[in-house]
């Protein structure tokens, strides 16, 4: 397993929203989805996940209801709200722009900045 990456502050919420865009899930499913999609590079602690889920619920970006897992266990299932879907789209655009900008800086050839005189 590769070394796990630390989550940058604020990214867990948007990653949870992305996970829920695939459908309603309970906490363990969310963690498993994120770990699988990251190839194990991102590990999510239970406490951090549930804090994120509570924040998303409080902000109206996710909603929860009780359900039963395939193993016949009672669990809270979280789903994306319409506001959550809109927030995810906006955050995704911002994150992609940020990542492209930082990547461009970090991978730039040595020398003066473009447009510098």
């Amino acid at each position: 397993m590769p070394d796990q990456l630390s989550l940058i502050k604020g990214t867990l919420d948007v990653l949870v929203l992305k996970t829920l865009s695939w459908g309603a899930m309970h906490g363990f499913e969310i963690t498993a989805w994120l770990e699988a999609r990251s190839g194990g590079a991102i590990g999510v602690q239970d406490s951090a996940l549930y804090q994120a889920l509570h924040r998303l619920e409080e902000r109206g970006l996710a909603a929860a209801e009780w359900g039963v897992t395939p193993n016949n266990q009672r669990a809270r299932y979280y789903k994306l709200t319409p506001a959550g879907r809109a927030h995810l789209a906006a955050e995704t655009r911002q994150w992609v722009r940020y990542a492209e900008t930082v990547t461009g800086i970090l991978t730039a050839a040595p020398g003066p900045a473009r447009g510098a005189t």
Side-chain angles (χ1 to χ4, degrees), residues 10 23 33 62-63 72 80 85-86 92:
W33 191 92
N72 208 28
L80 200 57
R85 192 167 301 282
T92 299

Side-chain angles (χ1 to χ4, degrees), residues 81-100:
T81 64
R85 192 167 301 282
H87 184 76
L88 172 61
E91 288 294 312
T92 299
R93 284 189 301 275
Q94 183 175 0
W95 178 260
V96 169
R97 181 174 173 238
Y98 177 82
E100 288 171 348

Side-chain angles (χ1 to χ4, degrees), residues 51-79:
Q51 288 173 14
L53 288 166
H54 290 298
R55 279 193 304 273
L56 295 171
E57 272 190 285
E58 287 174 1
R59 295 174 60 198
L61 303 176
E65 59 185 34
W66 287 101
V68 178
T69 69
N71 295 344
N72 208 28
Q73 300 292 315
R74 193 167 180 242
R76 281 180 62 86
Y77 280 82
Y78 298 86
K79 66 179 180 178

Side-chain angles (χ1 to χ4, degrees), residues 33-58:
W33 191 92
L34 287 170
E35 289 177 354
R37 290 292 167 128
S38 71
I42 293 177
V44 181
Q45 295 179 358
D46 287 344
S47 61
L49 174 65
Y50 288 105
Q51 288 173 14
L53 288 166
H54 290 298
R55 279 193 304 273
L56 295 171
E57 272 190 285
E58 287 174 1

